[in-house]
Amino acid sequence: MYSAVTLHKVLLVFAKEDSQSNGFCWACEKANYRCSMARTPESALECFAEKLHDLVIIDHRHSRHFDAEALCRSMRAVSSSENTVIVAVVKRPDREEASVMPLINAGFNRRYVENANMMACYNELLQLEHGEVLAQFKLRAGNAIFTALEQSQEAIEITSEDQVIQYVNPAYESIMGYQQGELIGKEIIEVPKSEKNKPDLLETINSCIRKGKEWQGVYYAKKKNGDSIQQNVKITPVIGQGGKIRHYVSINRPLNDNNKSDKANERVQAESQTDIQSSKHKDRRKGSLDVRSTTSRGSDGSSQRRHSSMARIHSMTIEAPITKVINIINAAQESSPMPVAEALDRVLEILRTTELYSPQLGTKDEDPHTNDLVGGLMTDGLRRLSGNEYIFSTKHPHHIPSHLATPLSPNDIPPRIAQTMETEDSWDFDIFNLEAATMKRPLTFLGLKIFSRFGVCEYLNCPEATLRSWLQVIEANYHSSNSYHNSSHAADVLHATAYFLCKERVKQSLDPIDEVAALIAATVHDVDHPGRTNSFLCNAGSELAILYNDTAVLESHHAALAFQITTRDDKCNIFKNIERNEYRTLRQAIIDMVLATEMTKHFEHVNKFVNSINKPLAALEENGGNNDEESVKSILTSPENRILVKRMLIKCADISNPCRPLELCIEWAGRISEEYFAQTDEEKRQGLPVVMPVFDRNTCSIPKSQISFIDYFITDMFDAWDAFADFPNLMQHLDNNFKYWKGLDERKLHSLRPPPE
Ligand code: 5GP
Ligand code: MN
């Protein structure tokens, strides 16, 4: 399927029709390529997201029409553009040749100096097709070829030039009765041979293939159980650079016994369906060509699916290597036969959900020693997915002693404050009103209300007085002197968290213990924040940075301090009455969420969420709507995915300011900027490196800083969160706020608000 490369789809982006665009149109026609034309960057991006052209030609000659480099960058940001060749049409240089570096940096593969001559355009297309486009096809094909090996019904064995076995395919295992692990790394001569062959046959074969020639003939191979099996064998040397033999590929088809080989094939199929249950007995050493060991366990119904146009979802993720790999495979699936596409489905499953460098251990029936060893050496107490996670589902109902069962009395909250909190379940709730009404203690009061609404005390079997003391002591450990990272920010994040938890999709995914963990995590997530960033603390050699080795310094501190404060005094220990296992699970979930607010991991969290949750959900939807409730449920509630939902939830809550109503958004922007200004002031005073030079109070444009923050972090993340759980109101605010900042920026204003008329 990859031998005859046909270039199907070309996109031309020219603002206006001219002889040059006509030249390419004509050339496409002559070469029999399907050609689309876009006049604006917007329509180009839309068309590209839909059709994913192999070749895009962008007019770079007239900057007044559109910015060709910006357009190229945006196309490269569509993660599926990986294999697209993008060409810039540039003006003929009148004096000096300019460097192509800016073009390359923008993501162009090549430059075409304007020449409207039709034959010149045609020749350019041909050269592209046979050069760069062909190379991209080959890259894509590599993936499919490995899958073809896995799916082949012939027994295939690959060895190195000195005949050490590097790979055998599943059909080989099945026909010969060996497990891959028993063979990989062995020399061919170590594997028992059948006595039925003519004595000098092996030598004949060897002398033939050592010369670089192919050998084909009939050969008896010896199965593991001692039986001989007659096979039609073809051994092909693989020649590498300099004419040197690099590998031998041996393809073996059992002779004379059609029934038997059919059986074997059936077995291969059956095995790949139930999927390598037996792999736990296998040698886990990975040969260099051992693809098998990364093949999925558990293939659900997903294999019938073919992924096609998920452009919207694809375009959500910012390029990460794993996303690129996933997109390459997706693209290869498009043009692969069904069995290959199905196998690739399983590969995708693994890539989306697995810690790629951790060995996969079965959870239940693994040898306990192995489990303990791996558990002890390879987990850090937090990411112990397979062990503790299952405690979630074995929750026991709590017996609540009657003296503790008194509901939170609304009388305990002063009426004015209670009134301020009446609209607390709305997204547009004004937290700054509450901040004023509570004299900067919004966290305690909002916490009491929200925790009671979610039945947290009942869940934790904890007296309301304990919760009250806990909220008070946590709030007291926020610095009211910080302009941004004070207890109002914590209350705001708690508010957003509670709001998200009420969404249908989120509720479908999470258990009660997850909800409790999320509310607690939001409450404590920035406790004792010094109003300085991690990099400041590291540069300043602060005690905290030393304590936490310059890694996730603040987030580690927030989580650790929260548990210290909570558990050092029974009076405020909300965990006192839950049982040990439940405490461990809850603690683990809280720590994981607080650490997830660290921004160095931002894209990792967002990408994992999109790849493991949004894309599979979108694929299901595409495949026939709602009749697949079970599959949806299994995506939403797997332990791994619940962790991803919780991380995404707290992250979105933490930086949801740009999605709040304009007035609130402006206030938050003012506060974060002020906190950053104060940091820059101090850095200058102390002669420390200035980590965010743009946040200098004398020169900073707040609108610009907000635009960048939204562009870089917010848009993609909330697109994904909205696609998951549907937040039209947030997206509307985001849009509105973005336009507001743009408006100020266009008027070259640097402050939060326009000056009075
Ligand atoms: P937090 O420290 O609040 O848990 O994590 C949120 C991160 O996002 C912090 O690094 C915070 O400074 C940053 N952040 C929140 N809002 C804004 C904003 O409007 N602009 C910028 N540049 N950073 C922000
Ligand atoms: Mn925060």
Side-chain angles (χ1 to χ4, degrees):
M1 67 183 149
Y2 292 105
S3 54
V5 177
T6 42
L7 175 59
H8 288 299
K9 289 173 279 181
V10 180
L11 174 62
L12 303 179
V13 190
F14 286 80
K16 293 221 166 60
E17 184 181 326
D18 64 2
S19 55
Q20 182 66 72
S21 69
N22 286 337
F24 277 120
C25 278
W26 176 87
C28 286
E29 208 167 298
K30 181 169 167 62
N32 213 5
Y33 303 152
R34 264 183 290 157
C35 160
S36 324
M37 173 71 75
R39 297 282 176 218
T40 64
E42 293 73 27
S43 63
L45 282 170
E46 199 174 307
C47 180
F48 179 68
E50 191 189 322
K51 298 205 180 121
L52 293 176
H53 307 80
D54 307 287
L55 172 63
V56 180
I57 300 177
I58 302 177
D59 190 0
H60 186 281
R61 295 167 302 164
H62 311 287
S63 54
R64 74 199 133 84
H65 293 322
F66 58 76
D67 180 345
E69 285 169 28
L71 172 58
C72 185
R73 274 197 196 90
S74 308
M75 284 190 166
R76 288 299 182 205
V78 175
S79 36
S80 29
S81 73
E82 172 74 6
N83 294 103
T84 302
V85 176
I86 309 186
V87 177
V89 177
V90 299
K91 277 214 177 89
R92 182 168 300 282
D94 32 24
R95 268 166 278 119
E96 263 173 52
E97 274 280 353
S99 161
V100 294
M101 216 47 222
L103 294 178
I104 288 172
N105 284 338
F108 285 105
N109 301 83
R110 210 175 139 90
R111 150 192 106 139
Y112 177 81
V113 177
E114 63 182 338
N115 181 348
N117 179 290
M118 289 177 183
M119 216 42 211
C121 294
Y122 178 62
N123 284 339
E124 176 71 11
L125 284 190
L126 291 184
Q127 288 188 53
L128 284 165
E129 173 183 345
H130 293 277
E132 253 145 308
V133 176
L134 176 64
Q136 293 298 337
F137 266 89
K138 283 185 181 161
L139 268 181
R140 266 189 256 176
N143 284 292
I145 286 166
F146 246 122
T147 316
L149 284 177
E150 296 281 294
Q151 292 294 319
S152 167
Q153 298 182 350
E154 290 171 316
I156 298 172
E157 173 195 71
I158 302 179
T159 65
S160 60
E161 71 262 43
D162 42 7
Q163 304 211 346
V164 174
I165 300 176
Q166 295 175 308
Y167 172 80
V168 296
N169 72 343
Y172 186 103
E173 290 181 297
S174 177
I175 293 168
M176 302 299 294
Y178 283 104
Q179 304 280 344
Q180 196 175 52
E182 300 171 284
L183 294 174
I184 288 174
K186 279 221 173 106
E187 286 192 47
I188 290 272
I189 32 169
E190 295 176 72
V191 182
K193 303 282 177 299
S194 167
E195 306 77 26
K196 289 191 175 182
N197 293 311
K198 286 209 210 100
D200 56 352
L201 181 58
L202 257 183
E203 219 168 283
T204 315
I205 297 176
N206 274 331
S207 67
C208 174
I209 60 176
R210 291 240 161 87
K211 282 186 230 141
K213 283 199 275 184
E214 186 176 284
W215 184 85
Q216 188 161 2
V218 174
Y219 178 82
Y220 282 95
K222 192 171 195 167
K223 296 205 220 177
K224 190 180 175 190
N225 68 8
D227 292 352
S228 288
I229 173 171
Q230 201 182 16
Q231 298 183 323
N232 209 338
V233 174
K234 182 172 173 177
I235 305 175
T236 312
V238 179
I239 312 292
Q241 240 177 356
K244 228 178 135 245
I245 295 172
R246 297 290 175 191
H247 307 273
Y248 297 101
V249 175
S250 159
I251 302 176
N252 317 297
R253 181 197 298 245
L255 265 181
N256 295 340
D257 199 340
N258 290 334
N259 278 338
K260 223 185 222 163
S261 74
D262 280 356
K263 282 251 171 57
N265 293 337
E266 271 165 11
R267 241 174 302 142
V268 176
Q269 308 259 312
E271 203 189 44
S272 63
Q273 304 266 317
T274 54
D275 209 343
I276 334 182
Q277 302 292 3
S278 60
S279 69
K280 62 174 186 284
H281 302 301
K282 285 187 192 169
D283 186 344
R284 282 207 174 68
R285 276 176 308 151
K286 312 236 187 310
S288 56
L289 289 169
D290 180 359
V291 181
R292 183 80 188 280
S293 58
T294 61
T295 307
S296 157
R297 45 190 73 233
S299 73
D300 51 10
S302 66
S303 38
Q304 285 100 329
R305 264 178 272 119
R306 319 237 12 207
H307 304 281
S308 51
S309 67
M310 298 209 302
R312 188 178 132 68
I313 300 287
H314 283 298
S315 66
M316 276 178 187
T317 42
I318 290 167
E319 285 284 55
I322 189 66
T323 311
K324 289 187 188 172
V325 170
I326 288 173
N327 287 326
I328 292 171
I329 296 178
N330 272 326
Q333 277 186 314
E334 299 278 337
S335 48
S336 310
M338 205 53 159
V340 178
E342 285 175 10
L344 288 179
D345 259 331
R346 297 204 301 282
V347 172
L348 286 172
E349 198 65 29
I350 303 227
L351 292 179
R352 285 183 182 125
T353 54
T354 311
E355 294 284 350
L356 291 176
Y357 294 96
S358 314
Q360 293 192 324
L361 291 184
T363 44
K364 287 185 267 326
D365 32 15
E366 197 66 48
D367 163 33
H369 295 100
T370 320
N371 241 348
D372 284 355
L373 188 61
V374 174
L377 295 177
M378 305 211 17
T379 58
D380 53 12
L382 285 176
R383 299 195 168 79
R384 200 182 259 267
L385 288 186
S386 44
N388 296 343
E389 224 47 53
Y390 289 94
I391 297 163
F392 279 122
S393 44
T394 57
K395 158 170 90 67
H396 300 295
H398 283 292
H399 173 70
I400 303 166
S402 56
H403 70 281
L404 295 181
T406 12
L408 205 175
S409 138
N411 300 335
D412 297 345
I413 298 179
R416 208 166 64 80
I417 296 179
Q419 200 186 2
T420 319
M421 292 195 298
E422 261 168 20
T423 55
E424 153 270 319
D425 56 353
S426 149
W427 180 254
D428 295 352
F429 171 67
D430 186 342
I431 192 94
F432 300 112
N433 267 341
L434 182 66
E435 182 187 69
T438 57
M439 318 228 273
K440 298 198 175 176
R441 286 159 63 217
L443 185 58
T444 301
F445 290 98
L446 190 67
L448 280 171
K449 175 129 194 239
I450 287 178
F451 278 47
S452 129
R453 175 150 71 84
F454 282 83
V456 176
C457 282
E458 287 86 340
Y459 189 92
L460 295 175
N461 196 0
C462 129
E464 195 231 315
T466 308
L467 176 65
R468 202 173 260 265
S469 310
W470 180 76
L471 285 166
Q472 281 167 342
V473 66
I474 295 292
E475 181 151 39
N477 278 277
Y478 277 91
H479 301 195
S480 56
S481 52
N482 290 343
S483 59
Y484 182 90
H485 285 104
N486 50 45
S487 75
S488 302
H489 166 63
D492 181 50
V493 176
L494 174 62
H495 175 265
T497 299
Y499 182 83
F500 294 155
L501 287 175
C502 292
K503 277 285 173 170
E504 206 40 50
R505 260 287 159 79
V506 178
K507 283 200 285 193
Q508 283 172 341
S509 170
L510 301 186
D511 283 348
I513 193 169
D514 298 319
E515 295 178 3
V516 170
L519 295 169
I520 295 173
T523 307
V524 304
H525 88 279
D526 271 334
V527 68
D528 198 36
H529 197 296
R532 298 289 179 263
T533 62
N534 277 331
S535 23
F536 177 97
L537 298 178
C538 295
N539 287 334
S542 71
E543 267 179 49
L544 282 180
I546 305 265
L547 179 59
Y548 293 111
N549 302 312
D550 292 353
T551 23
V553 174
L554 281 169
E555 293 72 21
S556 303
H557 176 59
H558 304 316
L561 185 70
F563 280 93
Q564 279 167 17
I565 297 172
T566 308
T567 55
R568 75 181 165 206
D569 182 357
D570 275 359
K571 204 162 94 3
C572 64
N573 188 352
I574 53 174
F575 304 127
K576 189 164 168 275
N577 295 326
I578 57 173
E579 69 177 65
R580 183 186 171 75
N581 273 343
E582 196 132 28
Y583 173 66
R584 295 215 49 80
T585 309
L586 193 58
R587 170 172 157 79
Q588 184 186 326
I590 294 167
I591 293 172
D592 187 83
M593 273 185 271
V594 173
L595 294 187
T597 62
E598 196 218 339
M599 295 298 281
T600 58
K601 296 266 170 60
H602 174 84
F603 295 106
E604 183 180 327
H605 294 316
V606 176
N607 280 322
K608 278 188 177 172
F609 181 84
V610 170
N611 283 330
S612 304
I613 298 176
N614 279 3
K615 285 184 185 176
L617 286 176
L620 270 187
E621 252 169 45
E622 218 173 66
N623 209 46
N626 311 327
N627 52 7
D628 216 352
E629 278 306 314
E630 273 306 303
S631 313
V632 170
K633 193 88 192 145
S634 74
I635 293 171
L636 291 178
T637 59
S638 77
E640 294 86 353
N641 283 356
R642 284 201 337 254
I643 291 179
L644 300 184
V645 170
K646 284 183 281 179
R647 289 179 186 163
M648 185 75 169
L649 186 150
I650 195 163
K651 278 188 61 53
C652 288
D654 190 22
I655 49 179
S656 66
N657 305 161
C659 299
R660 295 287 190 178
L662 180 62
E663 278 309 309
L664 305 182
C665 165
I666 294 175
E667 175 64 26
W668 287 123
R671 290 183 179 203
I672 188 78
S673 306
E674 178 49 43
E675 195 168 297
Y676 285 158
F677 294 159
Q679 172 167 316
T680 303
D681 292 342
E682 186 176 350
E683 285 164 338
K684 287 184 177 172
R685 267 200 313 276
Q686 299 201 6
L688 290 167
V690 176
V691 292
M692 295 180 293
V694 292
F695 284 98
D696 183 314
R697 64 174 77 250
N698 305 310
T699 53
C700 181
S701 158
I702 295 178
K704 274 198 205 308
S705 79
Q706 284 296 310
I707 291 168
S708 314
F709 185 63
I710 292 174
D711 271 341
Y712 198 69
F713 291 111
I714 299 294
T715 306
D716 283 332
M717 183 173 72
F718 274 93
D719 264 347
W721 190 229
D722 174 49
F724 176 68
D726 193 24
F727 299 101
N729 51 338
L730 277 72
M731 301 313 282
Q732 185 62 56
H733 284 312
L734 178 58
D735 216 36
N736 190 30
N737 297 336
F738 187 76
K739 288 197 179 111
Y740 173 81
W741 298 122
K742 274 278 186 203
L744 291 182
D745 187 43
E746 271 155 23
R747 295 163 61 190
K748 306 219 169 1
L749 297 170
H750 286 183
S751 52
L752 287 171
R753 296 172 199 281
E757 293 295 312

